Amino acid sequence: MLTINNWLLSGTVCKAPIQKVSPSGIPHCQFLLEHRSQQKEAGLYRQTWCRIPVVASGHELKKHTHNIRFGTKLTIEGFVSCHQIRNKLVLHAEKIKFINFGE
């Protein structure tokens, strides 16, 4: 059985990041990403909008997350999972790319 869970989403950080370290020493950065775009559906264009929590974990991503601030524009590649506490969809980052002005 083939299962695919790969998301690519760009947006703006709309809530200040929270940096934490787990009891096992793994760094985590949590923030809220807001996406707005126009997408074509059934031959018509529509405005799309969402806010999704993002978690970036591990030492490799830590070097990227210390530069993330409110208003930072990013492209996140990763997978989604539902967090048990609030039954809420969360994007788990595997790659983070900063979007420069004009991109």
Side-chain angles (χ1 to χ4, degrees):
M1 181 167 112
L2 178 64
T3 57
I4 299 171
N5 183 350
N6 188 13
W7 278 37
L8 182 63
L9 188 69
S10 62
T12 304
V13 176
C14 62
K15 185 175 180 184
I18 298 170
Q19 303 278 352
K20 295 181 178 182
V21 177
S22 73
S24 59
I26 298 173
H28 301 280
C29 179
Q30 302 170 338
F31 55 92
L32 195 60
L33 189 72
E34 181 177 273
H35 169 86
R36 292 179 184 269
S37 66
Q38 189 177 71
Q39 301 295 320
K40 193 172 188 178
E41 179 180 38
L44 300 172
Y45 286 96
R46 63 175 287 185
Q47 296 297 317
T48 62
W49 173 87
C50 71
R51 284 186 172 181
I52 187 165
V54 177
V55 175
S57 301
H59 295 285
E60 188 63 33
L61 288 179
K62 184 176 180 171
K63 60 186 168 189
H64 297 293
T65 61
H66 75 277
N67 289 325
I68 296 174
R69 306 279 183 268
F70 177 85
T72 302
K73 296 186 183 313
L74 302 170
T75 297
I76 305 292
E77 185 175 346
F79 62 92
V80 292
S81 183
C82 211
H83 277 216
Q84 292 177 358
I85 296 171
R86 295 188 192 128
N87 197 25
K88 167 169 65 170
L89 202 60
V90 175
L91 176 56
H92 291 260
E94 295 176 309
K95 294 179 185 174
I96 298 173
K97 181 183 176 195
F98 287 79
I99 299 172
N100 296 321
F101 184 76
E103 281 188 51

